[in-house]
Amino acid sequence: MHEQKKIRQYLFILITLSTLIRAFIAATIELGNDEVYYRLYALFPDWSHFDHPLMVGLTIQFFSLDLLFDSEFFIRLGSIVFGAINTWVIYQIGLTIKNERTGFYAALLYTASIYAFIITGVFILPDTPQNFFWLLSILYMIKAVTMCPNLPMSGLKMLRMGFVIGLAILSKYTSVFLWLGALLYILIYNRDWLKSKWLYYSIGLTAIISVPILIWNLQYDFISFTYHGERVDMSGYTVNMDYFLMELLGEFLYNNPVNFILIILTLIIISIKKFKLTKAYTRNILLVSIPLILTFLVFSLFRKTLPHWSAPAYTTLLVLVAAWLDQMYKKEAFRIPPIILGSLSALLIIIVLGYSQIKFGIIDFSKLEEKYGMVTDDPSLDMFGFDQVGEAFEKIVKQDQATDLMDKESILVGNFWFPLANFDYYAASPIGMKSYGIGRLDQIHKYAWINLEMGGFRKGMDAYYLTTTRDFRSPYGNLDTYFEEILPADTINIYRNNTIAKKAFLFRLKNLRQIPESEIPAP
């Protein structure tokens, strides 16, 4: 009893400290490319969206009070809150499959994950609500599919699982792997569920909750599925080991190198039958996790993939790592295993270095290129300097309007969803200016729908166009097709540590003469 109380106290401290750290980061760094884009889901809600279902937009709306509070902190608040709850949920999963120690070790390993702590715990992405509902689904799944369907309350447990999986699917399509894992377990190890009506009710409940995705895609010729299908289509592509190695390296880094190694070691221990855990739990967790990991590893042999696509599976496997560590240290007095401290230390180093690079540019990539002749890239600049652009942009616009250089109803345009969404949030929206996308659907994404919601284009419009040295796209040879005149750029210097970190270029586009055609399929 003393150990259980001590673990609960440590868990409370862990959740409190990690939440405070994540809240500080969320409040003090600019939104990234994806985050400013998903803010548009909250600003222009719909049954679903071109890239993903609606849940990330609903999350932003809920925690920002429908964008009444639209600072970086409130836009990300859902990630901070879900991150705290997730730590408790994964503790509950460990407690359910084994004991208090396993739960606490799982919570520590979860906290040490870059994916869990930063990507879904600070940044607001579709992965944020998905990770929350994914972990809840795992907790409910092991209490349902591994049990006898004839036991009291088993049907309600199965329904509860189906309900939460439905919400996970409303967050991200890859959540269908939850049902795949559950059904694989039932088909192989617990066929009695096939005779239970509650299994089919649960599947039906998931389907009903997922209806918003169907409604939206029916309107637009299933364009969202077509888009994602093209991203993983392997036909006509040859094996590219560079893609595979990049995916593997990404998984190694995103999930914390120490955690990744521990997961591999745990899988080896399981394979040689040295793992001591109820087989039903082990099998259920493996059948949910391994198919998702293998699927994207196979895709990565042919196409570029992103390592966070399979990260929920690695997060789930952390519970088995925790059970193995409990097995290793069960004869000792309770303490945090050194390997977990190593994992947390790795996270802390990554946080300090990453935050320092974003805010202060401690590594000068341009000097590395000059000194070593390497082609270098500073990704931290994607989350820095847009507020400076916004301040300068406001002054320029006011001056332009005062001198009648630009129309007072001028808009901001871009030919790619990023950094248009960045400039939309930091430059255009603060002064009440509308932002439109001009380009192919695969370039402007949701802006194709936003254009229509804001009334569409009209001939004679004036527009501003912003681009940076980070990802320079000239308006010439592109937007000059639509406008009669493009005036030379103003340059906005973006400073970090009193040094110019990058530059933004502002172009004035005069008199829209040709209205861009929409590529949205007619409803």
Side-chain angles (χ1 to χ4, degrees), residues 15-50:
I15 293 174
T16 302
L17 284 178
S18 63
T19 301
L20 290 174
I21 293 170
R22 289 184 293 103
F24 173 78
I25 297 171
T28 56
I29 60 173
E30 294 181 15
L31 298 174
N33 293 337
D34 292 313
E35 295 178 283
V36 283
Y37 177 71
Y38 293 123
R39 161 186 166 269
L40 300 174
Y41 284 22
L43 198 59
F44 299 94
D46 206 341
W47 288 102
S48 191
H49 304 276
F50 177 71

Side-chain angles (χ1 to χ4, degrees), residues 45-49 52-54 170 211-217 219:
D46 206 341
W47 288 102
S48 191
H49 304 276
H52 293 288
L54 54 76
L170 280 183
V211 161
I213 297 171
L214 180 63
I215 291 174
W216 189 88
N217 276 279
Q219 285 182 292

Side-chain angles (χ1 to χ4, degrees), residues 354-389:
Y355 186 86
S356 300
Q357 182 63 29
I358 291 171
K359 299 294 286 186
F360 310 112
I362 56 174
I363 301 173
D364 189 336
F365 283 77
S366 61
K367 288 184 178 179
L368 287 176
E369 187 169 349
E370 291 173 8
K371 186 173 182 180
Y372 299 106
M374 299 184 300
V375 177
T376 55
D377 184 37
D378 185 357
S380 71
L381 289 174
D382 285 341
M383 304 182 74
F384 183 86
F386 289 100
D387 56 347
Q388 295 181 43
V389 175

Side-chain angles (χ1 to χ4, degrees), residues 241-257:
M241 289 305 298
D242 288 343
Y243 292 163
F244 177 80
L245 292 174
M246 286 300 295
E247 169 66 20
L248 205 57
L249 177 62
E251 293 177 4
F252 178 74
L253 296 175
Y254 272 45
N255 297 288
N256 188 317

